[in-house]
Amino acid sequence: MVRGISWRKTKNGHGRQNISTHYSHVPTRNSQTYREEQTKAPIGECSSMPSNTVNVFCRLRPPNERERESETLPLRGIHELQDPTIVAEKVDDNVVCMKMGIGVQQFKYTHIFGSVDSQASVYRRTARHLIPGLLCGVNASVVAYGQSGSGKTYTMFGSTFEIGERRAVFPESDDLAAQMGIIPRAMDDLFYQIQLASTESTRFDVALSFIQIYNESVTDLIVPETGPLKVRQRQGGAWYVKSSSVPVSMTKDVMIQIEHGLKNRITKSTCLNDVSSRSHAILRISVTKHDLLNGSTYRAQIDFCDLAGSENASKSMASSTTLREAGYINKSLLYLREVIDYLGTRRKNSGFRHLIYRNSNLTKLLYESLGGNSNSILLLNVSPHVYHATETLATLRFGSTAQKIVNFVVPQKLVTGKDLKQACRRAKHRIEAQNFLIRKKSKEVRRNRALIMEVLSQVDRSSELYAQLCFRVPRILQQNAPANRYWGKQLLPEVLFL
């Protein structure tokens, strides 16, 4: 069973009833729409991506109206394309081709999504594989990266809240079920698997936290009145913030909090995006599994990171406050690229890994997602239009370096009182076994010494045998007990045994 929540009305009056009208069209588990979107997979089992490396996906969005109306001249060397304004094309499911200048550069990732791929297909290929691991204590993270206006927020959250504004980026049907992003689909899948795995002896608790990083200041999107939050570091090296944690028991509860948090997120209108996010948003879902039979507890979390897009001031026409915000965004993304470059060269074991994260709050909070204990997915959102060719090339190169990062994933099992008692009993058994072995070896040493002294008393002191014994006996007596097992061969030279 899932622990219930106590919901109270927020300051601006948004409650459970407001979100129900928006989310009532989302397909349920028994609907035909949902069954067509999902494929068969084992429920309740720990599954993950094929490897512990960061899995990189790329999504090409179609050119928007602003790009089609731009008067950008085609770059030299791309005249052989059917459409000279398109510089990035999907070659196959794993390769994207970047045609710029006189050469052609190919980038290979886990999977490439074209402009015709639906929201459902993006989720099935990416975050869907991370959900079963949450029930077994395996951390996960999904990071959306790309330039401003490339469709990151649409991919992560969908058009559940602002369908009219996002439809120009990815023109799909008006059905809210088709417009759902990765997060609502993942929550729907998570609570379904929890429902199947819950028994009288197994209980699950799910909690949510939602924060943003605006101009290097971390604030709580659920309770923004708390002001800036301090980023602290644990003894193990990871950073965290003490933000509000809201228990949730169904997808609708999560959507309520997301709607409330997105209203508190800072957005502005620029020439690149009518609704441009001016902050990095991190949605964390924590899952705790309680096994009442053996007393074990597993805790895992999945982070959905919607990063603010990089901006070129000459294209976004940013000025004043917007220009200052763009500076902070680009600076934090620069530090993120430095971390990726450092980890991509496999220097993380050099002893200085914790130092490279300290330059930005964004890199601190992504400590576990990049090179830590997490199954991580990096989703690149790019525009294929020639107007953004430079930014698209930089994003693709960023992804090529990120997929070299190796994470070390270990299930998070909390130590309980019962586990401590069992560990103490095992330690006592090992101590008793070692004491028994010590007593046994001590008897062997005493027996060897007595035998040596008996032999020495019967040997002529003027003989060569006596000289050899006096030379070898002190060395044998200084050795530890296991080495004394072969004292007979060490006592006399081989020639004297012939």
Side-chain angles (χ1 to χ4, degrees), residues 383-419:
S383 169
H385 197 269
V386 66
Y387 184 67
H388 301 294
T390 304
E391 292 81 2
T392 299
L393 181 60
T395 302
L396 295 177
R397 288 175 176 173
F398 176 85
S400 296
T401 307
Q403 62 185 354
K404 300 177 184 178
I405 300 176
V406 179
N407 291 351
F408 298 94
V409 182
V410 179
Q412 301 296 308
K413 182 178 180 181
L414 301 182
V415 179
T416 61
K418 186 175 181 180
D419 294 334

Side-chain angles (χ1 to χ4, degrees), residues 167-415:
R167 191 183 299 139
V169 180
F170 288 92
E172 298 181 6
S173 67
D174 292 346
D175 186 10
L176 287 179
Q179 297 286 334
M180 289 170 56
I182 290 178
I183 294 176
R185 295 177 188 273
M187 295 301 98
D188 200 12
D189 203 5
L190 173 63
F191 288 112
Y192 175 63
Q193 296 200 29
I194 287 178
Q195 182 181 1
L196 293 182
S198 297
T199 60
E200 294 182 355
S201 60
T202 304
R203 189 188 67 191
F204 293 89
D205 296 333
V206 184
L208 171 149
S209 63
F210 202 8
I211 63 174
Q212 72 171 353
I213 306 174
Y214 174 71
N215 291 352
E216 281 302 308
S217 178
V218 183
T219 57
D220 195 335
L221 291 176
I222 304 298
V223 188
E225 296 82 5
T226 56
L229 303 176
K230 185 176 181 180
V231 181
R232 296 178 172 87
Q233 188 175 17
R234 293 190 176 94
Q235 187 176 3
W239 278 270
Y240 70 100
V241 292
K242 289 187 177 181
S243 59
S244 61
S245 181
V246 181
V248 291
S249 59
M250 62 183 67
T251 307
K252 184 185 293 186
D253 299 332
V254 177
M255 301 301 290
I256 292 173
Q257 302 299 330
I258 291 178
E259 181 187 30
H260 175 64
L262 291 179
K263 289 181 178 179
N264 295 323
R265 189 181 184 185
I266 300 175
T267 58
K268 298 285 180 62
S269 177
T270 65
C271 292
L272 294 177
N273 192 358
D274 294 335
V275 187
S276 176
S277 302
R278 314 308 295 173
S279 64
H280 308 294
I282 301 178
L283 175 68
R284 172 168 294 179
I285 306 296
S286 302
V287 180
T288 304
K289 176 183 177 181
H290 303 278
D291 194 332
L292 304 181
L293 290 180
N294 55 22
S296 61
T297 302
Y298 293 88
R299 179 174 296 173
Q301 62 190 26
I302 180 169
D303 292 338
F304 297 97
C305 306
D306 179 23
L307 303 181
S310 58
E311 285 188 12
N312 188 332
S314 62
K315 295 180 180 180
S316 64
M317 296 299 180
S319 60
S320 186
T321 305
T322 309
L323 182 61
R324 181 171 176 267
E325 295 168 347
Y328 276 102
I329 292 173
N330 292 336
K331 185 178 180 180
S332 62
L333 294 178
L334 174 63
Y335 289 135
L336 177 61
R337 285 192 290 270
E338 291 180 354
V339 172
I340 295 296
D341 292 338
Y342 179 85
L343 299 177
T345 55
R346 303 185 187 277
R347 291 182 294 169
K348 60 181 296 184
N349 295 326
S350 60
F352 300 99
R353 176 187 170 223
H354 63 287
L355 299 177
I356 197 67
Y357 291 86
R358 293 181 175 180
N359 296 326
S360 172
N361 285 332
L362 174 62
T363 55
K364 290 178 181 179
L365 296 179
L366 292 180
Y367 182 86
E368 292 291 353
S369 301
L370 302 175
N373 183 14
S374 174
N375 277 329
S376 301
I377 289 177
L378 177 62
L379 185 56
L380 306 176
N381 292 85
V382 298
S383 169
H385 197 269
V386 66
Y387 184 67
H388 301 294
T390 304
E391 292 81 2
T392 299
L393 181 60
T395 302
L396 295 177
R397 288 175 176 173
F398 176 85
S400 296
T401 307
Q403 62 185 354
K404 300 177 184 178
I405 300 176
V406 179
N407 291 351
F408 298 94
V409 182
V410 179
Q412 301 296 308
K413 182 178 180 181
L414 301 182
V415 179

Side-chain angles (χ1 to χ4, degrees), residues 153-154 157-167 262 267 275:
T153 303
Y154 172 82
F157 296 96
S159 294
T160 308
F161 307 107
E162 39 193 11
I163 185 171
E165 298 174 357
R166 299 295 182 184
R167 191 183 299 139
L262 291 179
T267 58
V275 187

Side-chain angles (χ1 to χ4, degrees), residues 432-448:
E432 292 176 357
Q434 291 174 356
N435 290 334
F436 175 78
L437 182 62
I438 290 174
R439 291 192 296 268
K440 180 179 178 180
K441 296 301 179 182
S442 298
K443 291 181 180 180
E444 292 182 3
V445 171
R446 290 193 296 269
R447 189 164 53 249
N448 294 342

